[in-house]
Amino acid sequence: MPHSTHAAAAPRRWTAAALALVLCAGASAQTELVIATVNNGHMIEMQKLSRHFEQAHPDIKLKWVTLEEGVLRQRVTTDIATRGGQFDVMTIGMYEAPIWGRKGWLQELKTDAAYDVDDLLPAIRNGLSIDGKLYAAPFYGESSMLMYRKDLVGKLGAQMPERPTWPQVRALAAKLHDPGNGVYGICLRGKPGWGDNMAFLTTLVNTFGGQWFDMQWKPQLLSKPWKEAISFYVDLLRNYGPPGSSANSFNEILALTNSGKCGMWVDATSAASFVSDPKQSKVAGQMAFARAPIMYTPKGANWLWSWNLAIPAGSRKVDAAHKFIIWSTSKDYVQLVAKTNGWANVPTGVRKSTYANPEFQKAAHFAAAEKLAIDSANPTDSTLPESPYVGVQFAAIPEFQAIGIAVGQQMSAALAGRTSVDAALQASQILTEREMKKGGYYK
């Protein structure tokens, strides 16, 4: 009766095997989402809080790839253009979202009533939409403004105008500059990159009356506004900026400002919550805010940007990615940050409801200045002469990324004294012309 004995034992053996298979299937059923993000404060906080998402969605595991801004842009651009499939959720900017959406590289984001898409600030929502369809969800938005040490300005018997001019800022930088005591008159971006030094410099050129391209798409880097703006910038930072400015971007200057070393700083409004936070900043109680300085025109003097989460078109994990994006950009997420870290530290620049919240208004004394800056930025009318492109601190064309990086390197070299302003602009004009001709914009 060997056969019947074997048959009787079989169910027990198969039960154990089946159990192992079930356990194995359960483990593999967990979806791993690979999220590429930037190493900014709000994003690092999102990683810490994402355990709440994983607890609510035990079938989804998050894997973070956190990169410096320039590296992130290169990695996600290469991955999406080659359909590499490395990332399930990408952190992208307001520059990429409409271009990639039009190319069919991004999944359209479908939102429900609870998400309340109408709560998004119009300038931000419009910048991420094509024909009313949303292709990226904003995590935080920003414009640019002037942040300054009111204690140091007060000691001089000076007053910061609500909307200062660049000559006024230069005069104040000269008085504030006290390197012997570790204070520099002004800190500005110098690190090369289209979203690094060129974000700031494009707004400077705009307010000096310049533009990247005329209506025939001819590059304008040899125009008077460019020469005047870049010469002003180089002179200002060489005289009244910290040493090594040509290597400084947002994070480097944030560290300098928080340690009390910058008299003034013109940069992203998102910095306001960090410089005002006593846990991070030695001079939190001394920081005050004014609008981005202007020269000949207020047009394009302050930028418009948002960091957003998007799903690449080829993703095989769309449902899980969608759940995570909706969670991390929702009203509930803002409430979670407020509960965990206080209202002064929530991601800003995205939702009307955040600015309408009395607790936020009370905690964030920068709120009104930030919202004014975001509301006043107009990507469709950012230059004094008429321009053929959309964008304040960038031109929303695919070629701009390569152009901005190359021009950024020339501007950084001029700031570091490795080349002259004239030579840097000459080289920039030539390389920009070459890219635009290659792109078929003109012959």
Side-chain angles (χ1 to χ4, degrees), residues 18-50:
L19 187 60
L21 275 171
V22 167
L23 287 171
C24 185
S28 63
Q30 195 176 45
T31 303
E32 184 180 75
L33 280 185
V34 182
I35 303 167
T37 195
V38 66
N39 64 342
N40 291 351
H42 285 311
M43 301 305 194
I44 290 163
E45 196 50 45
M46 172 170 60
Q47 290 174 50
K48 289 181 194 165
L49 294 174
S50 62

Short mmCIF file of all heavy atoms in Angstrom, two decimals, residues 18-50:
data_model
loop_
_atom_site.label_atom_id
_atom_site.label_comp_id
_atom_site.label_asym_id
_atom_site.label_seq_id
_atom_site.Cartn_x
_atom_site.Cartn_y
_atom_site.Cartn_z
N ALA A 18 2.37 25.24 0.04
CA ALA A 18 1.43 26.30 -0.36
C ALA A 18 1.58 27.53 0.52
O ALA A 18 1.54 28.66 0.05
CB ALA A 18 0.00 25.77 -0.28
N LEU A 19 1.76 27.24 1.81
CA LEU A 19 1.93 28.34 2.76
C LEU A 19 3.17 29.17 2.40
O LEU A 19 3.14 30.40 2.39
CB LEU A 19 2.06 27.78 4.18
CG LEU A 19 2.09 28.79 5.32
CD1 LEU A 19 0.82 29.62 5.34
CD2 LEU A 19 2.27 28.08 6.66
N ALA A 20 4.26 28.47 2.07
CA ALA A 20 5.50 29.17 1.68
C ALA A 20 5.26 30.02 0.44
O ALA A 20 5.72 31.16 0.34
CB ALA A 20 6.61 28.15 1.44
N LEU A 21 4.52 29.44 -0.51
CA LEU A 21 4.23 30.19 -1.74
C LEU A 21 3.40 31.43 -1.46
O LEU A 21 3.65 32.50 -2.01
CB LEU A 21 3.45 29.29 -2.72
CG LEU A 21 4.29 28.37 -3.61
CD1 LEU A 21 3.38 27.40 -4.35
CD2 LEU A 21 5.08 29.20 -4.63
N VAL A 22 2.41 31.26 -0.59
CA VAL A 22 1.55 32.40 -0.23
C VAL A 22 2.37 33.50 0.42
O VAL A 22 2.24 34.68 0.09
CB VAL A 22 0.39 31.93 0.70
CG1 VAL A 22 -0.29 33.13 1.33
CG2 VAL A 22 -0.59 31.11 -0.09
N LEU A 23 3.24 33.08 1.36
CA LEU A 23 4.09 34.08 2.04
C LEU A 23 4.98 34.79 1.05
O LEU A 23 5.16 36.00 1.09
CB LEU A 23 4.94 33.40 3.13
CG LEU A 23 4.18 32.96 4.38
CD1 LEU A 23 5.08 32.11 5.28
CD2 LEU A 23 3.66 34.17 5.15
N CYS A 24 5.55 33.99 0.15
CA CYS A 24 6.45 34.55 -0.87
C CYS A 24 5.70 35.52 -1.76
O CYS A 24 6.15 36.62 -2.05
CB CYS A 24 7.03 33.40 -1.69
SG CYS A 24 8.24 33.96 -2.87
N ALA A 25 4.49 35.11 -2.19
CA ALA A 25 3.67 35.98 -3.05
C ALA A 25 3.31 37.26 -2.32
O ALA A 25 3.32 38.35 -2.89
CB ALA A 25 2.41 35.23 -3.46
N GLY A 26 3.01 37.13 -1.01
CA GLY A 26 2.65 38.31 -0.21
C GLY A 26 3.79 39.30 -0.18
O GLY A 26 3.59 40.50 -0.29
N ALA A 27 5.02 38.75 -0.03
CA ALA A 27 6.19 39.64 0.05
C ALA A 27 6.41 40.34 -1.28
O ALA A 27 6.66 41.53 -1.34
CB ALA A 27 7.42 38.83 0.43
N SER A 28 6.26 39.57 -2.39
CA SER A 28 6.54 40.18 -3.69
C SER A 28 5.40 41.08 -4.14
O SER A 28 5.54 41.88 -5.03
CB SER A 28 6.82 39.11 -4.73
OG SER A 28 5.67 38.32 -4.90
N ALA A 29 4.23 40.95 -3.51
CA ALA A 29 3.08 41.78 -3.90
C ALA A 29 3.29 43.23 -3.45
O ALA A 29 2.58 44.11 -3.89
CB ALA A 29 1.81 41.23 -3.28
N GLN A 30 4.26 43.46 -2.56
CA GLN A 30 4.52 44.84 -2.13
C GLN A 30 5.19 45.60 -3.28
O GLN A 30 6.22 45.19 -3.79
CB GLN A 30 5.42 44.84 -0.90
CG GLN A 30 5.43 46.20 -0.21
CD GLN A 30 6.25 46.19 1.08
OE1 GLN A 30 7.34 45.68 1.11
NE2 GLN A 30 5.71 46.78 2.12
N THR A 31 4.58 46.67 -3.71
CA THR A 31 5.12 47.46 -4.82
C THR A 31 6.19 48.41 -4.29
O THR A 31 5.93 49.16 -3.35
CB THR A 31 3.98 48.28 -5.46
OG1 THR A 31 2.96 47.38 -5.88
CG2 THR A 31 4.47 49.10 -6.64
N GLU A 32 7.35 48.37 -4.91
CA GLU A 32 8.41 49.33 -4.53
C GLU A 32 8.37 50.52 -5.49
O GLU A 32 8.50 50.35 -6.70
CB GLU A 32 9.78 48.67 -4.57
CG GLU A 32 10.88 49.63 -4.08
CD GLU A 32 12.26 49.02 -4.09
OE1 GLU A 32 12.83 48.88 -5.20
OE2 GLU A 32 12.78 48.70 -3.01
N LEU A 33 8.16 51.70 -4.94
CA LEU A 33 8.17 52.92 -5.74
C LEU A 33 9.52 53.59 -5.58
O LEU A 33 9.93 53.91 -4.47
CB LEU A 33 7.11 53.91 -5.23
CG LEU A 33 5.66 53.73 -5.62
CD1 LEU A 33 4.85 54.91 -5.09
CD2 LEU A 33 5.48 53.61 -7.12
N VAL A 34 10.21 53.84 -6.68
CA VAL A 34 11.49 54.56 -6.64
C VAL A 34 11.20 56.02 -6.95
O VAL A 34 10.68 56.36 -8.02
CB VAL A 34 12.51 53.96 -7.63
CG1 VAL A 34 13.85 54.70 -7.52
CG2 VAL A 34 12.70 52.47 -7.37
N ILE A 35 11.51 56.88 -5.97
CA ILE A 35 11.18 58.30 -6.08
C ILE A 35 12.47 59.12 -6.20
O ILE A 35 13.33 59.07 -5.31
CB ILE A 35 10.39 58.78 -4.84
CG1 ILE A 35 9.13 57.94 -4.67
CG2 ILE A 35 10.04 60.27 -4.95
CD1 ILE A 35 8.44 58.10 -3.33
N ALA A 36 12.61 59.85 -7.29
CA ALA A 36 13.76 60.73 -7.47
C ALA A 36 13.38 62.11 -6.97
O ALA A 36 12.38 62.69 -7.41
CB ALA A 36 14.15 60.80 -8.94
N THR A 37 14.18 62.65 -6.05
CA THR A 37 13.84 63.98 -5.52
C THR A 37 15.09 64.82 -5.27
O THR A 37 16.22 64.33 -5.35
CB THR A 37 12.96 63.87 -4.26
OG1 THR A 37 12.37 65.14 -4.00
CG2 THR A 37 13.75 63.42 -3.05
N VAL A 38 14.85 66.08 -4.96
CA VAL A 38 15.92 67.05 -4.78
C VAL A 38 16.22 67.20 -3.28
O VAL A 38 15.34 66.97 -2.45
CB VAL A 38 15.50 68.41 -5.42
CG1 VAL A 38 14.34 69.04 -4.70
CG2 VAL A 38 16.66 69.38 -5.54
N ASN A 39 17.46 67.56 -2.96
CA ASN A 39 17.88 67.60 -1.54
C ASN A 39 17.53 68.92 -0.86
O ASN A 39 18.32 69.48 -0.12
CB ASN A 39 19.39 67.34 -1.43
CG ASN A 39 20.23 68.41 -2.10
OD1 ASN A 39 19.73 69.18 -2.92
ND2 ASN A 39 21.50 68.47 -1.77
N ASN A 40 16.31 69.42 -1.12
CA ASN A 40 15.86 70.65 -0.45
C ASN A 40 15.11 70.30 0.84
O ASN A 40 14.59 69.20 0.98
CB ASN A 40 14.93 71.45 -1.38
CG ASN A 40 15.69 72.04 -2.56
OD1 ASN A 40 16.91 72.00 -2.60
ND2 ASN A 40 14.97 72.57 -3.53
N GLY A 41 15.05 71.26 1.76
CA GLY A 41 14.48 71.03 3.08
C GLY A 41 13.09 70.41 3.09
O GLY A 41 12.82 69.45 3.83
N HIS A 42 12.17 70.93 2.26
CA HIS A 42 10.80 70.42 2.24
C HIS A 42 10.74 68.97 1.77
O HIS A 42 9.92 68.18 2.25
CB HIS A 42 9.92 71.28 1.33
CG HIS A 42 9.54 72.61 1.92
ND1 HIS A 42 9.04 72.75 3.20
CD2 HIS A 42 9.60 73.87 1.40
CE1 HIS A 42 8.80 74.04 3.44
NE2 HIS A 42 9.14 74.72 2.38
N MET A 43 11.62 68.63 0.81
CA MET A 43 11.64 67.26 0.29
C MET A 43 12.21 66.29 1.32
O MET A 43 11.74 65.16 1.45
CB MET A 43 12.50 67.19 -0.98
CG MET A 43 12.05 68.10 -2.08
SD MET A 43 10.32 67.81 -2.51
CE MET A 43 10.20 68.67 -4.05
N ILE A 44 13.23 66.72 2.05
CA ILE A 44 13.82 65.87 3.09
C ILE A 44 12.78 65.60 4.18
O ILE A 44 12.66 64.50 4.69
CB ILE A 44 15.11 66.52 3.63
CG1 ILE A 44 16.20 66.46 2.54
CG2 ILE A 44 15.60 65.83 4.90
CD1 ILE A 44 17.37 67.38 2.74
N GLU A 45 11.98 66.61 4.49
CA GLU A 45 10.89 66.45 5.47
C GLU A 45 9.85 65.46 4.96
O GLU A 45 9.34 64.64 5.72
CB GLU A 45 10.25 67.83 5.74
CG GLU A 45 9.40 67.86 6.99
CD GLU A 45 10.09 67.30 8.24
OE1 GLU A 45 11.27 67.63 8.49
OE2 GLU A 45 9.45 66.49 8.92
N MET A 46 9.56 65.53 3.66
CA MET A 46 8.58 64.59 3.08
C MET A 46 9.07 63.14 3.26
O MET A 46 8.27 62.25 3.57
CB MET A 46 8.38 64.89 1.59
CG MET A 46 7.55 63.85 0.88
SD MET A 46 7.03 64.28 -0.80
CE MET A 46 8.57 64.50 -1.64
N GLN A 47 10.36 62.92 3.09
CA GLN A 47 10.90 61.56 3.28
C GLN A 47 10.68 61.08 4.72
O GLN A 47 10.29 59.94 4.95
CB GLN A 47 12.39 61.54 2.97
CG GLN A 47 12.67 61.72 1.49
CD GLN A 47 14.16 61.85 1.22
OE1 GLN A 47 14.93 61.03 1.70
NE2 GLN A 47 14.54 62.85 0.48
N LYS A 48 10.92 61.98 5.68
CA LYS A 48 10.73 61.62 7.09
C LYS A 48 9.26 61.26 7.37
O LYS A 48 8.97 60.33 8.10
CB LYS A 48 11.16 62.77 8.00
CG LYS A 48 12.66 63.01 8.05
CD LYS A 48 12.94 64.17 8.98
CE LYS A 48 14.37 64.67 8.83
NZ LYS A 48 14.54 65.99 9.45
N LEU A 49 8.36 62.04 6.79
CA LEU A 49 6.93 61.84 7.07
C LEU A 49 6.31 60.74 6.24
O LEU A 49 5.16 60.34 6.48
CB LEU A 49 6.17 63.15 6.85
CG LEU A 49 6.52 64.29 7.82
CD1 LEU A 49 5.81 65.58 7.40
CD2 LEU A 49 6.12 63.93 9.25
N SER A 50 7.04 60.23 5.25
CA SER A 50 6.44 59.24 4.34
C SER A 50 6.14 57.91 5.04
O SER A 50 5.43 57.08 4.49
CB SER A 50 7.34 59.01 3.13
OG SER A 50 8.59 58.47 3.54
#
